[in-house]
Amino acid sequence: MKSLTKFSKMNFKKIFLFTLFSVSINIAAQKCNCKEEFHWLKETFETNDAGFKYVIDKKGETVYQNHNKLFADKVKKVTELNECRNVLFDWMLFFRPSHLSIAVNSKPINKTETGNKTGTENNWEKIEVTETELKEITSKIKHPTFEGIWLSPPYTIGVVKRENQYIGFVLDVKNSKWKQYQVKFKITEKPDKTYDAVYYMGDYSAQRFNNVEFIGNNILKIGFIALKRSFPDNLSDSQEIKDYIELYTTQKPFLKEISKQTLVLRIPSFDYSNKKIIDSLLTANHNLITSKDNLIIDVRNNGGGSDAAFQKIIPYLYTNPIRNVGVEYLSTVQNNKRMLEFMSNPDWSAEDKEWAKKGFEKLNANIGKFVNLNEQLVTETKLDVFYKNPKNIAIIINENNASTTEQFLLVAKQSKKVKLFGRTTEGVLDISNMYFVDSPSKNFKLGYSLTKSFRIPDMQIDGKGIQPDFYIDRNIPDYQWTNFTEERLNVN
C-alpha cells in the first residue's frame, strides 16, 4: 500500500478482539432458475443492445458461440440468485466493461415456514461489534491504520482486524437495503505487504481492487471508493492534504479561489441533480471567474451523468465553433418504449416531449434499424459570447472519468484555451444511453445501451480513453495535482 504518511500496524490483543466478533451466515439463499435467466438475458441483449453487432463483427461469430457454450454450461450448475447475477454479468463483459449492468431486484422479504428470512441481504456475513466497543478498541491509535470508523455516504462503516484481513462492516446506514453489522468490504494483507480488497456494492455484488491506500491520515481509498475517517479523530493532516480531501470527498460542486490568479471548480458528478448547483455557481461568480487568468476544472472520479449539467460551463471555454458527432439509436419495440416514458414524464418540458414524440414515430417506422434522430451526423455550435478571461483553462482528469464526462472533454478540448492534465480516462462513451428492463421473473434488472456513436471506428473512445495533454506521472501524489497544474498554467 502506498501511503502519504507512514503506515504502522497496531496489533491489539487478539483474545479481546475475538470476544467481540460474531460472524453470522445463514445457509438459506434465494433460489433462481439461472438457465432460464441466461436464455432471457442472451435473447434480450442480442435483440436490443446497440453495441452487440459491433462487437460480434470485431470478434467473430465463432468466438461468440464458444463464449455462449462456456456460459451455458456454467448456468446449469448455478441455483442461487446472487451467484447467478455474477455469472450473467461475466457473460456480458464479452461486449464491454461499462454501460451495461445486471442487478438483483429488491423484493419484499419472504419468510419460510420456520420464520427464517431469505434473500441475499438477509443471509449475509456479519461482524457484531458495536460503535462503543469499536471506539474502545481504537481510541489509543496514534498512527493511521485501517481500523476505526469511516464515512462513505450513506454508510457509516466500522473496520476491525482479524488475522491478515481488515473487515469493514455497516454500523449505520440510511435509505439502503443493507443492514447493521453486515460485512461491506474486506482488505487482505498479502505476503509482500501490499493490499487488495473486495468491496460489496449496493446490490451485494463483489467489486475487486488491488489498489488500497491512505490519503493523509483520514481518507482511505479502495479503488475508486473513498472513505473519510470519523474515529479516531485525533489524527491531523497538513493544510495541503486537507484541501485535497475537501476536493476529493465533496458530494456537490463548488468553486474555490486558491490564488490571486486561479480558481478551482470542482465537479464530482455531472448527474442531472447537480445541474442547478453548477448553473448557480457560475451565475453567482461570473464576475470573479472572468477576472481571473486561470480556471482549473477538477473532474477526477466524475463518472458521468447528463450532458445538460455541463452546458453553462461551455461559454467560459469557448474560442471557436464546436463540432459534436451524433449518435444513432437502435430501434426495437422494447427500446422505443423509452420515448413513451419521456413523453409521460412530468419533469419534461412541452418542447422536450414533442421531441420524444417525433423520435418515437421515426423509430417505430424503422424497427430493426439504426436511426439518426437529427438531420445531420455532425452539429456545429457557434456562440456569440467570448470571454477574454480566464485565459488559461486546465481540466484535471483521471482513469475514473467516463461517459458524459468524456463527452464534456471532447467538447472542451476543442477550445484553444483548454488543456487536459492527469491520466487517460476510462474510455466508456461510444456505446451509451442506458435503458433498464426487468427479467420476466422480476429477479433481475438489466441495463444495456440504446445508441452507437458515429465517431466509431474512426475515433474510438471505448477501451482507449481520452489522453491528457500533460501527463501527471506516478511520482506526483494525487494531493499535489492541483498545485502541479497551477504551476504549469503560470509558466509564460
Side-chain angles (χ1 to χ4, degrees), residues 78-123:
V78 177
T79 59
E80 195 271 320
L81 193 63
N82 202 58
E83 184 182 357
C84 182
R85 178 266 170 205
N86 292 339
V87 173
L88 297 182
F89 185 71
D90 285 345
W91 176 84
M92 294 171 72
L93 290 176
F94 178 86
F95 300 95
R96 56 185 179 272
S98 299
H99 276 170
L100 47 73
S101 68
I102 187 160
V104 176
N105 270 327
S106 299
K107 289 189 171 184
I109 295 172
N110 298 317
K111 294 185 179 180
T112 64
E113 292 180 359
T114 59
N116 292 325
K117 295 179 180 179
T118 62
T120 301
E121 61 267 32
N122 300 298
N123 306 300

Side-chain angles (χ1 to χ4, degrees), residues 289-290 292-295 316 388-393 417:
I289 295 170
T290 54
K292 298 293 183 182
D293 287 341
N294 304 327
L295 174 64
Y316 297 97
K388 182 179 178 181
N389 280 346
K391 295 183 179 70
N392 310 304
I393 299 175
K417 292 183 176 185

Side-chain angles (χ1 to χ4, degrees), residues 9 20 31 72 80 167 175 224 489:
K9 291 178 286 184
L20 297 180
K31 303 296 182 181
E80 195 271 320
I167 303 176
N175 301 319
F224 59 79
L489 292 182

